[in-house]
Amino acid sequence: MANLTRFDPLSFDEPFENLVRNFFWKPVALEASKKMQIKLDVKEDDKNYTVRADLPGVAKEDIKVSVDGNQVAISAETKKETEEKKDGDYVHRERYYGSVYRSFSLAQAVDEAGAQASYRDGVLELVLPKRASGQNKQLTIQ
């Protein structure tokens, strides 16, 4: 005698379920994470690391940078407000407030006392001198 099973459209087989989840949900999740990520370029020469971080639309006062040994952390508060009015009434109004954070490790410790930071046109530039191997002093830049 044959076994009969009732088809349930809400319970997917494993391969089909993964296909549906990946097709519908991952693009949405990836798009949201792209908006909140700080894009970095890190260059190295004999004496320094040069870090360029894209932070468009962020005020200079809302950026914090800390360096501890070879660990670098960048955080920023983002604010965006748009408003459209027609004859004194709001037709469209949006506000966005959030924060972004990125940390990374460098191959060699940084001399925090000689570190420099500048911010212009939405790009944060850090010049982080490499610490000589004999130095043991550690400072934090904020």
Side-chain angles (χ1 to χ4, degrees):
M1 180 181 246
N3 291 332
L4 295 176
T5 350
R6 181 174 283 187
F7 175 70
D8 183 2
L10 299 177
S11 70
F12 300 112
D13 290 347
E14 187 68 28
F16 183 69
E17 183 177 4
N18 286 336
L19 175 69
V20 170
R21 281 189 184 160
N22 291 341
F23 183 75
F24 290 110
W25 294 111
K26 281 200 176 173
V28 173
L30 288 175
E31 186 62 31
S33 66
K34 284 181 187 175
K35 291 180 183 176
M36 297 300 292
Q37 188 178 21
I38 299 173
K39 307 288 190 237
L40 294 177
D41 293 330
V42 181
K43 276 183 17 183
E44 178 182 14
D45 60 27
D46 294 338
K47 297 180 181 181
N48 299 312
Y49 291 104
T50 303
V51 179
R52 287 190 178 92
D54 291 340
L55 297 166
V58 177
K60 179 178 163 180
E61 300 79 30
D62 294 333
I63 301 172
K64 291 184 176 58
V65 177
S66 65
V67 178
D68 186 16
N70 69 334
Q71 299 288 323
V72 180
I74 302 170
S75 62
E77 295 291 322
T78 58
K79 301 171 191 161
K80 183 178 179 183
E81 296 184 12
T82 59
E83 187 176 295
E84 295 175 26
K85 286 187 177 184
K86 185 177 180 181
D87 299 327
D89 294 329
Y90 291 110
V91 174
H92 180 81
R93 186 175 186 186
E94 289 185 14
R95 291 173 299 284
Y96 171 78
Y97 300 95
S99 60
V100 290
Y101 176 83
R102 180 94 185 252
S103 67
F104 54 95
S105 299
L106 299 169
Q108 189 173 343
V110 172
D111 179 16
E112 293 91 348
Q116 299 173 350
S118 62
Y119 181 69
R120 187 174 28 163
D121 297 330
V123 178
L124 172 69
E125 182 172 283
L126 305 173
V127 178
L128 307 171
K130 295 178 180 179
R131 185 183 311 153
S133 60
Q135 290 181 322
N136 291 326
K137 194 176 180 180
Q138 290 191 14
L139 303 172
T140 302
I141 296 176
Q142 294 195 21

